[in-house]
Amino acid sequence: MNVIKSLCQVYLINMLSNKFVFVFNLLLPTIYFLYQNGKYWSRSSVPFSQSTNLVISYFWAYIIMMTILNNVIVAMIAQRENGFYKQLFFIVGSKWKILIANFLVQLVVLIGELSIFNVVVMTVFHNWHINLIIAGVLSAMIVAVPVALMSSLLFLLKVKIESINILVSILLLGLFALINLPESGALSNVINMLNPLTYMVETSFQMMSLLLNKTFDDRMVLIWVLVTVVYGVIGWFGTSKLSVHSIMDRV
């Protein structure tokens, strides 16, 4: 635990030195939300209905996905390429301690980002509800690990760091394009949930529905568990292939 604690301090300092990622992770979606919902400023109160919860869940999914990709996956690939990851590995002797420490720091950051965004949402809607903050925290804690594991497939790509950001952008465009595929049964639900964005939207929506509206679709539980197991298996494989050697060393 002392090793992980020390690594967390290292990653916290490293994260604070690169504040620009917050522009993409938090500032852009917040500005877009304000632009889309500016009409509500003059109203007395906007209830957290099912439709409102669904809209918020899309913003949460974006913030979670961008934070995990930028701060965890792409950051780890960059550290592998510049030799920082190799140095830590030789000191610590365990890739899992390094990954866990980085993930824990970013999870705290993610919870903070969602909490700030939710304060903005409640301010715009003139509807202060502590359960929205709680739902955001719980959603982040529930989906962050599976989504990070699923995203670890990027560790398998033998591309230079200059190209990884382009590939991530293309990947995100594809995921957003597939997020609203029609659902016609349990199998289609499973296939759609294999899209991390759909997975996060559905989880966030159900969490908000439970805490804000006292409703819950228990039919999605089995599908959610099945997809989460798949994410875990894929993530274990992807993470196990993470090498300390950069692409340049292997060319």
Side-chain angles (χ1 to χ4, degrees), residues 117-188:
F117 177 79
N118 289 334
V119 169
V120 172
V121 170
M122 291 186 293
T123 301
V124 172
F125 288 169
H126 303 285
N127 188 351
W128 292 87
H129 207 312
I130 188 61
N131 280 355
L132 183 67
I133 301 289
I134 297 174
V137 173
L138 292 177
S139 296
M141 296 178 67
I142 290 172
V143 304
V145 172
V147 172
L149 289 172
M150 183 68 168
S151 302
S152 68
L153 282 176
L154 294 174
F155 292 152
L156 302 178
L157 299 179
K158 295 182 179 180
V159 295
K160 298 179 181 179
I161 188 60
E162 293 83 3
S163 304
I164 193 66
N165 289 322
I166 298 175
L167 290 176
V168 168
S169 298
I170 295 173
L171 173 64
L172 283 172
L173 287 175
L175 294 177
F176 274 109
L178 297 173
I179 197 171
N180 285 320
L181 288 178
E183 299 177 356
S184 58
L187 181 59
S188 65

Side-chain angles (χ1 to χ4, degrees), residues 49-60:
S49 62
Q50 295 290 76
S51 59
T52 304
N53 294 347
L54 184 60
V55 170
I56 296 173
S57 67
Y58 279 100
F59 283 93
W60 285 7

Side-chain angles (χ1 to χ4, degrees), residues 200-218:
M200 289 183 288
V201 168
E202 184 64 34
T203 304
S204 300
F205 176 74
Q206 294 297 337
M207 186 60 65
M208 277 187 281
S209 297
L210 178 63
L211 294 181
L212 296 172
N213 307 109
K214 310 304 179 185
T215 62
F216 185 74
D217 186 0
D218 54 4

Side-chain angles (χ1 to χ4, degrees), residues 23-91:
V23 173
F24 293 97
N25 297 352
L26 178 61
L27 186 59
L28 287 182
T30 301
I31 292 175
Y32 185 70
F33 176 83
L34 291 172
Y35 170 76
Q36 288 290 318
N37 297 276
K39 58 186 178 182
Y40 294 121
W41 280 103
S42 59
R43 298 188 179 183
S44 58
S45 178
V46 177
F48 290 112
S49 62
Q50 295 290 76
S51 59
T52 304
N53 294 347
L54 184 60
V55 170
I56 296 173
S57 67
Y58 279 100
F59 283 93
W60 285 7
Y62 175 88
I63 293 172
I64 296 171
M65 193 70 187
M66 293 302 294
T67 300
I68 290 176
L69 283 179
N70 288 332
N71 296 13
V72 179
I73 305 300
V74 175
M76 188 59 63
I77 293 174
Q79 290 165 18
R80 181 190 66 190
E81 296 305 304
N82 63 28
F84 182 69
Y85 170 59
K86 180 188 289 187
Q87 294 175 6
L88 287 181
F89 181 80
F90 287 156
I91 294 173

Side-chain angles (χ1 to χ4, degrees), residues 224-242:
W224 186 91
V225 171
L226 175 61
V227 173
T228 302
V229 171
V230 173
Y231 279 23
V233 172
I234 293 174
W236 183 267
F237 174 76
T239 305
S240 66
K241 298 298 181 180
L242 177 61

